[in-house]
Amino acid sequence: MSRPVITASIGRVFCMRLHAFYHVPFEDVGSIKPWAAAKGYAIGTTSFFADETPPPVSDYDMLVVMGGPMGVYDEKDHPWLAGEKKAIEAAVGAGKPVLGICLGAQLLSVVLGGSVTRNPVPEIGWFKVDMTPEGLAEPVFAGFPQSYYAFHWHGDTFSLPPGAVHAASSAACANQAFVYGHKVVGLQFHLETQPIGMQNLIKHCAADVAQPGPTVHHPKQMHAGREAFKDIQALMGRLCDALTA
């Protein structure tokens, strides 16, 4: 079973209940955790890699779907992917705010009628993201700069689901973000990553950076960009504020 959380309303203050889907033990919600703690919000988790099952959508107010090294179509190796897609579909159908990050964004795309393919090149490290005018017009991205550096670690890319707004791109990947129905957001890049999260990816996915190149940073380059962690944490908090408003 998933790890439940106990929440309550104190007076007229509502305690938001977040829930996160995890695919591997080394990719968690990162800076979303201190953001939620500062707000007094609770976070429950479902670790699919540990054979946990997700709770009904009535048990949470917002869903965060995290990343992982597997692909969205790898149901033969990871049978739980089929059930996870149904759980994501249920959350969207129930009108919950949903944030998908990296693999999570790809799962969202597939659930909403899109597809996932190999990106022309892998994109790993610190690279600039450019918001589209349509993306900046979405309330969830209010106050975002037109361009900023984000952390990336992906080899696949999603297509825009029917009816979704193309929100961002990068030089190496055309579809970096989308918004569906104003409160469902897919991010191919990472704003939640903290230094320990980056170190864990370098450790557990070392083969991905064995051959650095123009779109794959050497771990030393990644560590050199550590000053950007403060900026992406602020953007992650801004996006979460908008999704939970």
Side-chain angles (χ1 to χ4, degrees), residues 4 7 35 47 52 77 84 126 185 190 197 229 239:
T7 61
W35 168 85
S47 296
E52 294 180 352
D77 295 326
E84 181 181 13
W126 295 100
V185 177
H190 297 267
F229 280 120
L239 178 56

Side-chain angles (χ1 to χ4, degrees), residues 123 152 154 158 166 168-170 173-177 186-189:
E123 189 177 29
H152 303 254
H154 70 101
F158 54 74
H166 182 209
S169 64
S170 69
C173 182
N175 294 330
Q176 282 286 355
L187 303 180
Q188 184 59 74
F189 53 92

Side-chain angles (χ1 to χ4, degrees), residues 121-213:
V121 292
E123 189 177 29
I124 300 174
W126 295 100
F127 296 100
K128 186 176 289 187
V129 170
D130 297 307
M131 299 295 295
T132 66
E134 296 80 9
L136 288 173
E138 285 289 327
V140 291
F141 287 118
F144 267 58
Q146 197 281 319
S147 295
Y148 49 90
Y149 280 90
F151 190 69
H152 303 254
W153 200 297
H154 70 101
D156 290 345
T157 183
F158 54 74
S159 70
L160 297 177
V165 172
H166 182 209
S169 64
S170 69
C173 182
N175 294 330
Q176 282 286 355
F178 68 83
V179 182
Y180 180 87
H182 302 300
K183 58 181 179 179
V184 174
V185 177
L187 303 180
Q188 184 59 74
F189 53 92
H190 297 267
L191 295 178
E192 86 294 348
T193 302
Q194 297 178 303
I196 185 63
M198 181 181 74
Q199 293 168 16
N200 283 336
L201 284 168
I202 293 171
K203 175 183 177 180
H204 293 282
C205 303
D208 293 348
V209 292
Q211 295 182 319

